[in-house]
Amino acid sequence: MSERKVLNKYFPPDFDPSLIPRRRQPKNSQQVVRLMAPFSMRCNTCGEYIYKGKKFNARKETVEGEDYYGIKIFRFYIKCTLCSAEITFKTDPKNTDYAAEHGASRNFEPWREEKAVEEEDRLAKLEEEENNPMKALENRTVDSKREMDILDALQDIRARNARNERIGQSADLLERLHMEEIETEEDLERKRAEEEDEKLVREVFAKVPAPSTSSTQDPAGPSREESASPAVITVKRKATDEEPELTSLLPDSARALLAVKSSIGAPPKRKKTEGKSALGIKLKGRSKVVT
């Protein structure tokens, strides 16, 4: 099976490329290219607006007899999307832009107008300076004065920034010290609150010695381990020497439930049934046969 995309093509041994006839094209032939409209325009025939970025299958050709310092100028032919009228525009290397030529007019663009006005003012100023030397001297004096004012303003801004930086560093230092003082006060307050909580816990949860479970004591006395670590219990009450009863530590609902159970008493015991009667099976007696 052959490859789908062939990279190496077969050339027979007797192949002679000089025998291939050359394809001759006219000197200024047109090429079909795919492009987008370089600017928004309006058709002069039907008034349809063609916005920038609209894609066209255009014909491209080189403009004869026009160039810009050796750079070729190209012309493009497109058709209006509504009336199919032919519209042409060409490249403008001087302004790095495109220029509408025939069939459509370019929409007004204010930034292009501002640039054109600035360029006209600059050219008029240069022409006036060439014809009037005193005017050129006045313009140079005004320009130098403007430059001096700009340098003075820049120096003032630098001095102000340096002063603000020094003041900012001192202010940051004072603010940092103030924050450290606040943090120290907060730590002291937190520590004081923790100590009060610990004290309250010690008052509420007090440990009292547990009573001895054995009625008789060893004549030899308590062992060393018992004397070293006596048995204690934790009681939720204020610290006193008396041990509370177990029922006093229970909530009211639990105490009421215990009182009800003690008044009812234990349920009576049921007799245990044995054998088949326990399963609910009754045996019928056999009838006696008389012989």
Side-chain angles (χ1 to χ4, degrees), residues 204 233-238 243-252 254-255:
V204 175
I233 58 175
T234 303
V235 182
K236 185 179 179 182
R237 63 180 179 79
K238 292 195 175 181
E243 181 183 358
E245 295 181 359
L246 180 60
T247 55
S248 64
L249 302 177
L250 297 175
D252 296 338
R255 282 200 294 258

Side-chain angles (χ1 to χ4, degrees), residues 27-232:
K27 186 176 181 181
N28 189 14
S29 61
Q30 295 181 349
Q31 300 176 358
V32 178
V33 294
R34 182 77 171 173
L35 57 78
M36 293 187 293
F39 50 84
S40 59
M41 64 188 83
R42 184 181 182 185
C43 179
N44 295 335
T45 304
C46 63
E48 175 70 10
Y49 286 97
I50 300 173
Y51 296 99
K52 181 179 180 180
K54 180 73 175 177
K55 291 185 178 181
F56 293 94
N57 292 324
R59 291 178 288 116
K60 169 188 168 185
E61 69 176 7
T62 305
V63 179
E64 293 292 337
E66 294 185 22
D67 63 347
Y68 180 74
Y69 294 103
I71 300 175
K72 293 182 180 180
I73 297 176
F74 299 99
R75 181 182 289 112
F76 299 93
Y77 297 86
I78 61 174
K79 291 184 178 181
C80 176
T81 55
L82 185 63
C83 64
S84 298
E86 191 174 60
I87 299 172
T88 63
F89 57 89
K90 58 183 180 180
T91 58
D92 186 7
K94 181 179 180 180
N95 300 317
T96 62
D97 200 359
Y98 291 83
E101 189 178 19
H102 175 71
S105 57
R106 187 167 183 168
N107 294 341
F108 177 73
E109 296 172 350
W111 55 88
R112 296 181 65 251
E113 190 69 20
E114 290 177 0
K115 292 181 180 178
V117 170
E118 290 177 359
E119 185 68 17
E120 290 178 0
D121 293 343
R122 189 180 65 82
L123 294 176
K125 185 178 179 181
L126 291 176
E127 185 177 359
E128 187 179 7
E129 288 178 356
E130 289 179 358
N131 299 330
N132 190 354
M134 293 300 296
K135 188 66 176 179
L137 181 60
E138 290 176 3
N139 292 337
R140 284 197 298 269
T141 305
V142 171
D143 293 340
S144 61
K145 186 177 182 300
R146 186 187 301 110
E147 291 179 1
M148 293 297 293
D149 294 341
I150 293 172
L151 291 176
D152 292 341
L154 183 60
Q155 187 67 24
D156 293 341
I157 293 172
R158 288 177 178 174
R160 190 184 306 113
N161 290 341
R163 184 169 61 256
N164 292 338
E165 186 176 358
R166 290 194 300 270
I167 295 173
Q169 290 178 357
S170 60
D172 292 342
L173 181 59
L174 293 175
E175 186 177 357
R176 195 179 303 111
L177 293 175
H178 182 61
M179 290 299 295
E180 290 178 357
E181 291 178 358
I182 293 175
E183 290 178 358
T184 306
E185 293 177 359
E186 290 179 355
D187 293 340
L188 292 175
E189 187 68 23
R190 192 182 301 111
K191 188 175 181 181
R192 192 180 303 109
E194 290 177 358
E195 290 178 356
E196 292 178 358
D197 294 342
E198 290 291 337
K199 184 178 179 181
L200 182 61
V201 168
R202 284 196 300 269
E203 290 178 357
V204 175
F205 296 94
K207 293 183 178 180
V208 298
S212 61
T213 56
S214 62
S215 60
T216 60
Q217 295 183 355
D218 190 1
S223 62
R224 185 178 302 172
E225 294 180 357
E226 292 176 355
S227 61
S229 58
V232 294

